[in-house]
Amino acid sequence: MLDALPDALVLVNANGTVVNANTIALEAFETPGTALVGRGLLDLLPQFDSRLIPGSMRRPDHIDPRARTKPTRMVARRTDGSEFPVEVTSANLETGQQAYDTYGYTGDELLMLVVRDLSGTVDTEAELARSQRQTEMILRAASEGVVGTDTDGRIVLVNPAAAQILGYRAGELGGRELHTLVLHSRADGSPFPYDESPLADTLRSGRKHRVRGQVVFAKSGDQLPVDLTTAPVRDGDQLVGAVMTFTDRRPYDALVKEHEEAEQRHAEELERLAEEHAAELTELRQRHEAELGELREQHAEEIAADADRYAALGEREKDRYEAIAGRHEQLLTLLGDSLRGPLDELRRELAALASDDAGQLWPEANQVLHHLSAGYSRITTLIDNVLGYQRLDIGNEQVARTKVMLDAVVAAGVDGAVELIGPGRVQFAVHAPPIEAEVDARLLATALAHLVADVAGVDATGNSPVSATGGYLDNTVVVAAAQRGEVVRIEVRGPYAGGDPVHEPIVRGIVRAHGGVLQTHEVPGMSGSAYVLEVPIGGGAGAIAGTGAAEVAPVVPDARADAAGAAGAGNAVAV
């Protein structure tokens, strides 16, 4: 039965020691690893009056040992030392003997304490008190008048600003009918019925009202113009009253009047000044109009002169453009017709002589003729590629995209590079897995050929630079391709830095026409550079499944080791 009580129940013996407790007390005071029974009462309730313990020798005579004490708030301490607020009621349990007899205390009494946990209650009370203080401070600080009424329209709340505006003390307004007190008449002195007032409608219907220029009456009987607002006060769904707020318009009306008077004085002053300076203003206006006319004529002349100057400049730029276009057309004609035709004829004649069908030439002359034939073939190929790039750059030719295998394009680019740099100049390490891409195979192969020639260090004359150190210089050119997402990436590395003014513009122009990019990377510890060429796959299928397509080999300082790695991947060519 004791465990069913909602509060903690503790029994204390004459020594002030807890001898029994119900379940609620154990839950409230005990913590894991500690025990409540056997603890001293003052350890649990330090603020408890020790004189109430039955065995106390300081027990006053006027306290009935069997009386029940009033509920007292204090701080309780759990067995782990943590504290919480409680309300304590105590009483002595009756026994067959008197608690105190002629010879003193008998020692059989027990003290029963009912302990109620106030943790949540204290927080709620504190919050309510804080909220009430905050509301009071807001009402006191508000410059607007605030009056609250009950459902009968009687005043139940008024803030200092409202009392000051109306000329009352706050205590004089409590319980009085608000309408009868301050809203009984209109501005013209006619009666203002309660049923027609916004306050009455708010109390009837719960609607809000906002009225500008409403008249209220002060204690002195003076009319006070105010801006008035009424709003309902509800307790849940039930209407329990209304709040009327109002702002004194007298300072605002005074400012408006002062502003209107200032505007009137300003207008009068302007009129006086205008009359005094009318003749002067007319003279100034005429002089300004004359000056403005002169400025307009001068500006028109400057505009005409600028127009003539810009027209002459445009004619000069047009002449320069036509001259540049003429020189460009002349260069294309020279390369395509006047130069390339004779070169083809000369190459054929040299090739015929180099073949030496009759065996009349000595070996050295035959070797020279072969070299010249290869040089003229290289020059012819270079001229064709430059002309193709020029036609692509000016828009006479367009990129013809078809679905092709990338390994075939790379092979064609290597073959084209051999034509440009000559046989036996470099050796290649090629890694090009089967990747289907939608590109212009001829133009992309041309770009790869010039890129290889650029990093191989062979210029347009077919000559290679001499190593500054005089030592061994690896002449391996690495070409590696792979798919990266929706683009094809081709990396070309060689022993030289590249950047030839003939090769690089052709490569960048073709890559740009494909919608791709060309980037240059310096290789630490190597004399050469690495070019990375990227073009979109387009409608191609990309890497063919099951062919083992790999990523582009990373740039490493040792070109020979990288070339060997690329060759070990499956495609190595020495030319």
Side-chain angles (χ1 to χ4, degrees):
M1 183 174 62
L2 295 180
D3 289 340
L5 293 176
D7 298 321
L9 184 67
V10 179
L11 295 181
V12 179
N13 64 11
N15 295 327
T17 303
V18 176
V19 296
N20 203 349
N22 67 348
T23 302
I24 301 299
L26 296 177
E27 293 175 353
F29 285 94
E30 274 192 347
T31 57
T34 61
L36 175 61
V37 177
R39 293 267 180 171
L41 175 62
L42 296 181
D43 290 340
L44 304 174
L45 299 172
Q47 299 173 353
F48 186 76
D49 189 356
S50 61
R51 295 177 299 174
L52 298 177
I53 299 174
S56 174
M57 301 305 297
R58 298 182 297 111
R59 190 177 183 90
D61 296 335
H62 67 276
I63 295 180
D64 185 354
R66 290 166 293 181
R68 180 177 178 226
T69 62
K70 295 182 179 180
T72 305
R73 291 193 177 186
M74 61 184 67
V75 175
R77 184 181 298 157
R78 296 185 181 90
T79 55
D80 62 353
S82 59
E83 297 180 343
F84 61 100
V86 295
E87 184 180 73
V88 179
T89 304
S90 65
N92 286 79
L93 292 181
E94 295 183 359
T95 64
Q97 299 177 340
Q98 292 291 334
Y100 288 87
D101 56 19
T102 306
Y103 301 101
Y105 172 66
T106 64
D108 295 330
E109 288 78 18
L110 294 176
L111 179 66
M112 179 180 67
L113 296 95
V114 178
V115 182
R116 177 169 295 173
D117 190 347
L118 298 180
S119 298
T121 304
V122 171
D123 294 341
T124 303
E125 291 176 352
E127 181 62 25
L128 289 174
R130 187 194 66 79
S131 178
Q132 184 175 0
R133 288 195 302 273
Q134 186 177 20
T135 302
E136 292 176 355
M137 288 188 291
I138 292 173
L139 289 175
R140 289 181 179 276
S143 60
E144 295 84 2
V146 181
V147 179
T149 72
D150 58 15
T151 54
D152 295 328
R154 297 185 179 277
I155 298 173
V156 295
L157 178 144
V158 60
N159 73 333
Q164 181 181 2
I165 294 173
L166 297 175
Y168 290 92
R169 292 194 300 271
E172 297 175 337
L173 297 173
R176 302 181 66 176
E177 290 184 359
L178 178 61
H179 182 84
T180 304
L181 188 66
V182 299
L183 294 169
H184 50 77
S185 301
R186 293 188 172 93
D188 58 3
S190 61
F192 186 20
Y194 173 73
D195 292 339
E196 298 179 10
S197 68
L199 176 64
D201 185 72
T202 297
L203 290 173
R204 282 195 306 267
S205 64
R207 287 190 292 263
K208 295 181 180 180
H209 291 277
R210 184 184 298 274
V211 183
R212 288 187 177 275
Q214 176 70 44
V215 171
V216 297
F217 289 84
K219 181 179 181 181
S220 62
D222 296 336
Q223 294 185 4
L224 304 178
V226 296
D227 291 336
L228 180 146
T229 301
T230 62
V233 177
R234 300 181 185 275
D235 184 2
D237 295 333
Q238 183 178 2
L239 184 67
V240 295
V243 172
M244 185 181 77
T245 61
F246 55 93
T247 304
D248 191 353
R249 288 184 57 88
R250 286 176 296 179
Y252 172 76
D253 292 340
L255 288 175
V256 171
K257 184 177 180 180
E258 182 180 352
H259 180 68
E260 291 175 352
E261 292 175 353
E263 287 186 343
Q264 180 65 26
R265 291 194 300 270
H266 181 65
E268 293 174 355
E269 182 69 15
L270 287 178
E271 185 178 355
R272 184 183 65 80
L273 291 174
E275 292 175 356
E276 291 180 359
H277 301 289
E280 183 179 355
L281 289 174
T282 301
E283 181 183 356
L284 288 174
R285 186 181 299 109
Q286 292 174 352
R287 185 164 66 248
H288 288 163
E289 289 178 353
E291 293 177 356
L292 183 60
E294 293 176 0
L295 289 174
R296 285 173 178 168
E297 294 177 358
Q298 181 180 355
H299 185 58
E301 293 175 358
E302 291 177 355
I303 290 176
D306 289 340
D308 295 339
R309 184 165 61 253
Y310 290 144
L313 181 61
E315 289 295 330
R316 287 198 301 271
E317 293 298 325
K318 180 180 178 182
D319 294 341
R320 288 181 57 191
Y321 174 76
E322 291 177 351
I324 292 174
R327 289 196 296 272
H328 178 70
E329 186 65 28
Q330 182 185 24
L331 176 61
L332 293 181
T333 303
L334 175 65
L335 291 175
D337 299 333
S338 302
L339 184 58
R340 192 182 184 287
L343 284 175
D344 282 341
E345 183 64 25
L346 184 58
R347 181 175 61 84
R348 286 193 295 270
E349 293 177 358
L350 288 173
L353 288 174
S355 63
D356 192 17
D357 295 335
Q360 298 178 357
L361 297 176
W362 62 91
E364 291 80 1
N366 187 269
Q367 184 178 3
V368 170
L369 289 174
H370 274 291
H371 180 71
L372 290 174
S373 177
Y376 279 110
S377 177
R378 179 173 62 255
I379 294 174
T380 303
T381 301
L382 184 61
I383 290 174
D384 289 341
N385 292 344
V386 171
L387 288 173
Y389 162 68
Q390 292 291 333
R391 287 191 291 268
L392 180 66
D393 189 54
I394 64 177
N396 289 345
E397 289 188 4
Q398 301 295 326
V399 174
R401 301 177 187 270
T402 58
K403 295 180 181 179
V404 296
M405 299 303 296
L406 189 63
D407 51 352
V409 175
V410 172
V414 172
D415 293 339
V418 174
E419 293 184 13
L420 290 175
I421 64 181
R425 294 297 186 90
V426 296
Q427 59 181 352
F428 295 89
V430 181
H431 177 57
I435 301 174
E436 186 184 58
E438 190 176 21
V439 296
D440 190 319
R442 179 182 63 82
L443 288 178
L444 190 57
T446 300
L448 287 174
H450 282 274
L451 197 57
V452 171
D454 195 18
V455 299
V458 178
D459 58 16
T461 63
N463 296 320
S464 300
V466 179
S467 174
T469 60
Y472 171 76
L473 182 64
D474 190 355
N475 63 347
T476 301
V477 175
V478 178
V479 182
Q483 178 182 351
R484 285 288 179 86
E486 298 298 324
V487 300
V488 172
R489 183 174 184 181
I490 304 175
E491 182 177 331
V492 179
R493 282 178 289 171
Y496 295 96
D500 185 86
V502 175
H503 296 307
E504 187 174 358
I506 294 175
V507 178
R508 291 193 181 276
I510 293 174
V511 172
R512 184 169 56 251
H514 277 80
V517 294
L518 178 67
Q519 297 178 341
T520 306
H521 301 281
E522 294 184 359
V523 183
M526 294 181 63
S527 60
S529 293
Y531 283 89
V532 177
L533 180 154
E534 291 185 352
V535 294
I537 290 179
I544 305 302
T547 59
E551 299 291 344
V552 177
V555 177
V556 296
D558 192 348
R560 287 174 294 174
D562 190 70
N571 298 316
V573 180
V575 180

